[in-house]
Amino acid sequence: IVMWAVDNNWNGIENLALIPGTVGAAPIQNIGAYGVELKDVLQNLKFYHFDTKKIEALDNKNCSFGYRDSIFKKVLKNKVFITEIILKLRKKNHLYKTDYGSIKEELQKQNVQQLSPKMIAETVIKIRQNKLPDPKKTGNAGSFFKNPEVSAELFMKIKEKYPDIIAFPTENNQYKLAAGWLIEHCQLKGYAHKGAAVHTKQALVIINQNNAKGEDILELSKIMSDKVFEKFNVKLEPEVNIF
């Protein structure tokens, strides 16, 4: 759906290019990348409720969207199957989001003069292909942890010691830290535990390196979160669903 929108010059979801998954699953996680989340464009949706055996609908407001979160991960968890979503995209007067991650840097390298949804999408795809493993070739669940939010006080304390920390201010006077940066600065890139390993190019990703079992991956994720807490006093929360 992202590439269909791009090919037809519809703006709004170009930053979500190359996220593996289905359209119906997207609202569950409120998927997001490079400064854009699904909640920014979703109008409403329909779903089949397993208990009532009926098709029901919710608008954006009643989906309780949050950072990688929604009503479908809470009271409606495992109770519905999303069948339809309606997005509001733009043909004009669209403000492209290029400040998150390395989009702007890549665009400058290419000497891009005029932005378009296709140009943004192609840039995002290039960045993702350079640092993320292809799930068709290497088993992984994408970003394993959420980017944690911390108080301004804790952020300044960490920044004093690590001036290069990657962080973004949030609306509630807190800072969202790059979980990948935290993990990398615990020297965990490439770290292997049984069959699982931390990806060498993006520390936020756990890969199935050698027939890893579910418990191998969970054990590795605990090692990672414990190391980050020990070093930075920051608690990491899983982004993936753990059953």
Side-chain angles (χ1 to χ4, degrees), residues 95-134:
L95 293 175
Y96 293 104
K97 296 199 176 181
T98 61
D99 289 334
Y100 203 99
S102 50
I103 295 180
K104 186 179 284 185
E105 185 184 328
E106 280 296 327
L107 291 170
Q108 286 171 346
K109 281 183 192 174
Q110 299 171 56
N111 197 28
V112 173
Q113 303 297 319
Q114 190 167 355
L115 295 179
S116 69
K118 190 172 183 67
M119 181 58 67
I120 300 289
E122 287 176 351
T123 301
V124 167
I125 288 169
K126 184 179 178 184
I127 294 168
R128 291 180 72 91
Q129 287 178 333
N130 282 339
K131 71 175 186 177
L132 297 173
D134 183 346

Short mmCIF file of all heavy atoms in Angstrom, two decimals, residues 95-134:
data_model
loop_
_atom_site.label_atom_id
_atom_site.label_comp_id
_atom_site.label_asym_id
_atom_site.label_seq_id
_atom_site.Cartn_x
_atom_site.Cartn_y
_atom_site.Cartn_z
N LEU A 95 3.78 18.40 4.19
CA LEU A 95 5.09 18.68 4.76
C LEU A 95 5.85 17.36 4.91
O LEU A 95 5.46 16.51 5.72
CB LEU A 95 4.93 19.35 6.13
CG LEU A 95 4.33 20.76 6.13
CD1 LEU A 95 4.14 21.25 7.56
CD2 LEU A 95 5.24 21.73 5.36
N TYR A 96 6.88 17.19 4.13
CA TYR A 96 7.67 15.95 4.20
C TYR A 96 8.48 15.93 5.49
O TYR A 96 9.02 16.95 5.93
CB TYR A 96 8.61 15.86 3.00
CG TYR A 96 7.89 15.68 1.69
CD1 TYR A 96 7.77 16.74 0.80
CD2 TYR A 96 7.34 14.45 1.35
CE1 TYR A 96 7.09 16.58 -0.41
CE2 TYR A 96 6.67 14.29 0.15
CZ TYR A 96 6.54 15.35 -0.72
OH TYR A 96 5.87 15.18 -1.90
N LYS A 97 8.57 14.76 6.10
CA LYS A 97 9.34 14.61 7.33
C LYS A 97 10.70 14.00 6.97
O LYS A 97 10.79 12.83 6.63
CB LYS A 97 8.59 13.73 8.33
CG LYS A 97 7.29 14.37 8.80
CD LYS A 97 6.78 13.76 10.08
CE LYS A 97 5.54 14.50 10.57
NZ LYS A 97 5.02 13.97 11.83
N THR A 98 11.74 14.84 7.06
CA THR A 98 13.08 14.38 6.68
C THR A 98 14.10 14.55 7.81
O THR A 98 15.28 14.28 7.62
CB THR A 98 13.59 15.16 5.45
OG1 THR A 98 13.66 16.56 5.79
CG2 THR A 98 12.67 14.98 4.27
N ASP A 99 13.64 15.00 8.99
CA ASP A 99 14.58 15.28 10.07
C ASP A 99 14.92 14.06 10.93
O ASP A 99 15.86 14.10 11.71
CB ASP A 99 14.02 16.38 11.00
CG ASP A 99 14.03 17.73 10.31
OD1 ASP A 99 14.87 17.93 9.41
OD2 ASP A 99 13.19 18.59 10.65
N TYR A 100 14.14 13.00 10.79
CA TYR A 100 14.34 11.83 11.64
C TYR A 100 15.32 10.87 10.99
O TYR A 100 15.23 10.57 9.80
CB TYR A 100 12.99 11.13 11.87
CG TYR A 100 12.93 10.29 13.12
CD1 TYR A 100 12.34 10.77 14.28
CD2 TYR A 100 13.46 9.00 13.14
CE1 TYR A 100 12.28 10.00 15.43
CE2 TYR A 100 13.40 8.23 14.29
CZ TYR A 100 12.81 8.73 15.43
OH TYR A 100 12.75 7.97 16.57
N GLY A 101 16.26 10.37 11.78
CA GLY A 101 17.23 9.43 11.24
C GLY A 101 18.16 10.11 10.24
O GLY A 101 18.49 11.29 10.37
N SER A 102 18.56 9.37 9.21
CA SER A 102 19.54 9.91 8.26
C SER A 102 18.94 10.26 6.91
O SER A 102 19.64 10.31 5.90
CB SER A 102 20.68 8.90 8.08
OG SER A 102 20.17 7.61 7.79
N ILE A 103 17.61 10.53 6.87
CA ILE A 103 16.97 10.86 5.59
C ILE A 103 17.58 12.12 4.98
O ILE A 103 17.96 12.13 3.82
CB ILE A 103 15.45 11.05 5.77
CG1 ILE A 103 14.78 9.74 6.18
CG2 ILE A 103 14.82 11.54 4.47
CD1 ILE A 103 13.29 9.83 6.39
N LYS A 104 17.66 13.18 5.79
CA LYS A 104 18.17 14.45 5.26
C LYS A 104 19.60 14.30 4.73
O LYS A 104 19.95 14.81 3.66
CB LYS A 104 18.13 15.52 6.35
CG LYS A 104 18.50 16.91 5.86
CD LYS A 104 18.42 17.95 6.97
CE LYS A 104 16.99 18.32 7.26
NZ LYS A 104 16.88 19.42 8.27
N GLU A 105 20.40 13.56 5.48
CA GLU A 105 21.80 13.33 5.09
C GLU A 105 21.88 12.60 3.74
O GLU A 105 22.67 12.96 2.87
CB GLU A 105 22.48 12.50 6.19
CG GLU A 105 23.97 12.29 5.99
CD GLU A 105 24.54 11.38 7.07
OE1 GLU A 105 24.03 11.40 8.21
OE2 GLU A 105 25.49 10.64 6.75
N GLU A 106 21.04 11.59 3.58
CA GLU A 106 21.03 10.83 2.32
C GLU A 106 20.56 11.70 1.16
O GLU A 106 21.10 11.62 0.05
CB GLU A 106 20.11 9.61 2.45
CG GLU A 106 20.73 8.42 3.17
CD GLU A 106 21.92 7.83 2.43
OE1 GLU A 106 21.91 7.84 1.18
OE2 GLU A 106 22.85 7.36 3.09
N LEU A 107 19.55 12.53 1.41
CA LEU A 107 19.04 13.41 0.35
C LEU A 107 20.11 14.42 -0.07
O LEU A 107 20.23 14.74 -1.26
CB LEU A 107 17.79 14.14 0.84
CG LEU A 107 16.53 13.28 1.04
CD1 LEU A 107 15.46 14.08 1.75
CD2 LEU A 107 16.01 12.76 -0.29
N GLN A 108 20.88 14.90 0.89
CA GLN A 108 21.95 15.85 0.57
C GLN A 108 23.04 15.18 -0.26
O GLN A 108 23.60 15.78 -1.18
CB GLN A 108 22.54 16.43 1.87
CG GLN A 108 21.61 17.44 2.54
CD GLN A 108 22.08 17.84 3.92
OE1 GLN A 108 22.96 17.21 4.52
NE2 GLN A 108 21.48 18.90 4.47
N LYS A 109 23.33 13.91 0.07
CA LYS A 109 24.33 13.15 -0.70
C LYS A 109 23.91 13.03 -2.15
O LYS A 109 24.73 13.07 -3.07
CB LYS A 109 24.50 11.75 -0.11
CG LYS A 109 25.37 11.68 1.13
CD LYS A 109 25.49 10.22 1.55
CE LYS A 109 26.10 10.09 2.93
NZ LYS A 109 26.09 8.68 3.41
N GLN A 110 22.59 12.85 -2.35
CA GLN A 110 22.07 12.69 -3.71
C GLN A 110 21.80 14.03 -4.39
O GLN A 110 21.37 14.07 -5.54
CB GLN A 110 20.77 11.87 -3.66
CG GLN A 110 20.94 10.46 -3.10
CD GLN A 110 19.60 9.79 -2.86
OE1 GLN A 110 18.78 9.66 -3.78
NE2 GLN A 110 19.34 9.36 -1.64
N ASN A 111 22.05 15.13 -3.64
CA ASN A 111 21.83 16.48 -4.17
C ASN A 111 20.39 16.67 -4.68
O ASN A 111 20.15 17.24 -5.74
CB ASN A 111 22.83 16.78 -5.31
CG ASN A 111 22.91 18.28 -5.58
OD1 ASN A 111 22.68 19.10 -4.70
ND2 ASN A 111 23.21 18.64 -6.81
N VAL A 112 19.44 16.20 -3.88
CA VAL A 112 18.02 16.30 -4.24
C VAL A 112 17.54 17.74 -4.07
O VAL A 112 17.70 18.33 -3.00
CB VAL A 112 17.16 15.35 -3.38
CG1 VAL A 112 15.68 15.58 -3.65
CG2 VAL A 112 17.54 13.91 -3.66
N GLN A 113 16.96 18.29 -5.10
CA GLN A 113 16.48 19.67 -5.08
C GLN A 113 14.98 19.77 -4.77
O GLN A 113 14.52 20.67 -4.10
CB GLN A 113 16.75 20.36 -6.43
CG GLN A 113 18.23 20.35 -6.83
CD GLN A 113 19.11 21.11 -5.87
OE1 GLN A 113 18.74 22.18 -5.38
NE2 GLN A 113 20.28 20.55 -5.55
N GLN A 114 14.21 18.80 -5.29
CA GLN A 114 12.75 18.83 -5.10
C GLN A 114 12.27 17.51 -4.52
O GLN A 114 12.52 16.44 -5.08
CB GLN A 114 12.06 19.10 -6.45
CG GLN A 114 10.57 19.37 -6.27
CD GLN A 114 9.96 19.93 -7.55
OE1 GLN A 114 10.65 20.20 -8.52
NE2 GLN A 114 8.66 20.12 -7.53
N LEU A 115 11.56 17.61 -3.40
CA LEU A 115 11.09 16.40 -2.72
C LEU A 115 9.82 15.86 -3.36
O LEU A 115 9.00 16.61 -3.89
CB LEU A 115 10.82 16.70 -1.24
CG LEU A 115 12.04 17.09 -0.39
CD1 LEU A 115 11.60 17.38 1.04
CD2 LEU A 115 13.07 15.98 -0.39
N SER A 116 9.66 14.55 -3.29
CA SER A 116 8.46 13.87 -3.76
C SER A 116 8.29 12.62 -2.91
O SER A 116 9.25 12.15 -2.29
CB SER A 116 8.61 13.47 -5.24
OG SER A 116 9.58 12.44 -5.37
N PRO A 117 7.07 12.06 -2.85
CA PRO A 117 6.90 10.84 -2.06
C PRO A 117 7.81 9.72 -2.55
O PRO A 117 8.34 8.94 -1.76
CB PRO A 117 5.41 10.50 -2.23
CG PRO A 117 4.91 11.34 -3.34
CD PRO A 117 5.79 12.53 -3.41
N LYS A 118 8.02 9.66 -3.87
CA LYS A 118 8.87 8.60 -4.44
C LYS A 118 10.32 8.77 -3.98
O LYS A 118 10.99 7.80 -3.62
CB LYS A 118 8.79 8.63 -5.96
CG LYS A 118 9.44 7.42 -6.63
CD LYS A 118 9.16 7.40 -8.12
CE LYS A 118 9.73 6.17 -8.78
NZ LYS A 118 9.08 4.94 -8.35
N MET A 119 10.79 10.02 -3.97
CA MET A 119 12.17 10.29 -3.55
C MET A 119 12.38 9.92 -2.09
O MET A 119 13.38 9.31 -1.72
CB MET A 119 12.49 11.78 -3.78
CG MET A 119 13.92 12.17 -3.40
SD MET A 119 15.16 11.22 -4.30
CE MET A 119 14.90 11.83 -5.97
N ILE A 120 11.41 10.29 -1.22
CA ILE A 120 11.51 9.95 0.20
C ILE A 120 11.48 8.44 0.39
O ILE A 120 12.30 7.88 1.13
CB ILE A 120 10.35 10.59 1.01
CG1 ILE A 120 10.37 12.12 0.89
CG2 ILE A 120 10.41 10.16 2.47
CD1 ILE A 120 11.50 12.81 1.60
N ALA A 121 10.55 7.77 -0.27
CA ALA A 121 10.42 6.31 -0.13
C ALA A 121 11.69 5.61 -0.58
O ALA A 121 12.17 4.69 0.10
CB ALA A 121 9.23 5.82 -0.93
N GLU A 122 12.23 6.01 -1.71
CA GLU A 122 13.46 5.38 -2.22
C GLU A 122 14.63 5.60 -1.27
O GLU A 122 15.47 4.71 -1.09
CB GLU A 122 13.79 5.92 -3.62
CG GLU A 122 12.85 5.39 -4.70
CD GLU A 122 13.11 6.00 -6.07
OE1 GLU A 122 13.91 6.97 -6.15
OE2 GLU A 122 12.53 5.50 -7.06
N THR A 123 14.68 6.78 -0.66
CA THR A 123 15.74 7.07 0.30
C THR A 123 15.60 6.20 1.55
O THR A 123 16.58 5.64 2.06
CB THR A 123 15.72 8.57 0.69
OG1 THR A 123 15.89 9.35 -0.49
CG2 THR A 123 16.82 8.90 1.68
N VAL A 124 14.36 6.08 2.05
CA VAL A 124 14.09 5.24 3.22
C VAL A 124 14.45 3.78 2.92
O VAL A 124 15.07 3.09 3.74
CB VAL A 124 12.61 5.35 3.65
CG1 VAL A 124 12.24 4.25 4.65
CG2 VAL A 124 12.34 6.72 4.26
N ILE A 125 14.08 3.31 1.74
CA ILE A 125 14.39 1.93 1.35
C ILE A 125 15.90 1.70 1.33
O ILE A 125 16.39 0.68 1.83
CB ILE A 125 13.77 1.61 -0.03
CG1 ILE A 125 12.25 1.49 0.10
CG2 ILE A 125 14.35 0.32 -0.61
CD1 ILE A 125 11.51 1.43 -1.23
N LYS A 126 16.62 2.64 0.79
CA LYS A 126 18.09 2.54 0.72
C LYS A 126 18.68 2.45 2.13
O LYS A 126 19.55 1.62 2.40
CB LYS A 126 18.66 3.74 -0.02
CG LYS A 126 20.16 3.68 -0.23
CD LYS A 126 20.66 4.89 -1.00
CE LYS A 126 22.18 4.86 -1.15
NZ LYS A 126 22.69 6.07 -1.82
N ILE A 127 18.21 3.32 3.03
CA ILE A 127 18.71 3.33 4.41
C ILE A 127 18.41 1.99 5.08
O ILE A 127 19.28 1.39 5.73
CB ILE A 127 18.08 4.48 5.22
CG1 ILE A 127 18.53 5.84 4.66
CG2 ILE A 127 18.44 4.38 6.70
CD1 ILE A 127 17.74 7.02 5.20
N ARG A 128 17.16 1.53 4.94
CA ARG A 128 16.74 0.27 5.59
C ARG A 128 17.54 -0.92 5.05
O ARG A 128 17.95 -1.79 5.82
CB ARG A 128 15.24 0.05 5.42
CG ARG A 128 14.38 1.03 6.19
CD ARG A 128 12.89 0.77 5.99
NE ARG A 128 12.48 -0.43 6.69
CZ ARG A 128 12.02 -0.46 7.94
NH1 ARG A 128 11.89 0.66 8.62
NH2 ARG A 128 11.66 -1.59 8.50
N GLN A 129 17.73 -0.96 3.74
CA GLN A 129 18.47 -2.09 3.15
C GLN A 129 19.93 -2.10 3.58
O GLN A 129 20.54 -3.16 3.66
CB GLN A 129 18.36 -2.04 1.63
CG GLN A 129 16.99 -2.44 1.11
CD GLN A 129 16.87 -2.34 -0.40
OE1 GLN A 129 17.56 -1.55 -1.04
NE2 GLN A 129 15.97 -3.12 -0.98
N ASN A 130 20.48 -0.92 3.85
CA ASN A 130 21.88 -0.83 4.26
C ASN A 130 22.12 -1.28 5.70
O ASN A 130 23.20 -1.75 6.03
CB ASN A 130 22.40 0.61 4.11
CG ASN A 130 22.72 0.94 2.66
OD1 ASN A 130 22.93 0.05 1.84
ND2 ASN A 130 22.74 2.23 2.33
N LYS A 131 21.10 -1.11 6.56
CA LYS A 131 21.38 -1.41 7.97
C LYS A 131 20.50 -2.50 8.60
O LYS A 131 20.77 -2.94 9.71
CB LYS A 131 21.28 -0.12 8.81
CG LYS A 131 19.90 0.43 9.00
CD LYS A 131 19.95 1.64 9.94
CE LYS A 131 18.55 2.13 10.27
NZ LYS A 131 18.57 3.25 11.23
N LEU A 132 19.45 -2.91 7.88
CA LEU A 132 18.56 -3.92 8.45
C LEU A 132 18.64 -5.23 7.67
O LEU A 132 18.74 -5.22 6.45
CB LEU A 132 17.12 -3.41 8.46
CG LEU A 132 16.85 -2.17 9.32
CD1 LEU A 132 15.42 -1.68 9.10
CD2 LEU A 132 17.07 -2.48 10.79
N PRO A 133 18.56 -6.37 8.36
CA PRO A 133 18.59 -7.66 7.66
C PRO A 133 17.29 -7.91 6.91
O PRO A 133 16.21 -7.54 7.37
CB PRO A 133 18.78 -8.66 8.80
CG PRO A 133 18.21 -8.00 10.01
CD PRO A 133 18.45 -6.52 9.82
N ASP A 134 17.39 -8.54 5.77
CA ASP A 134 16.22 -8.92 4.98
C ASP A 134 15.56 -10.12 5.65
O ASP A 134 16.18 -11.19 5.76
CB ASP A 134 16.66 -9.28 3.56
CG ASP A 134 15.48 -9.63 2.65
OD1 ASP A 134 14.37 -9.86 3.16
OD2 ASP A 134 15.69 -9.69 1.43
#
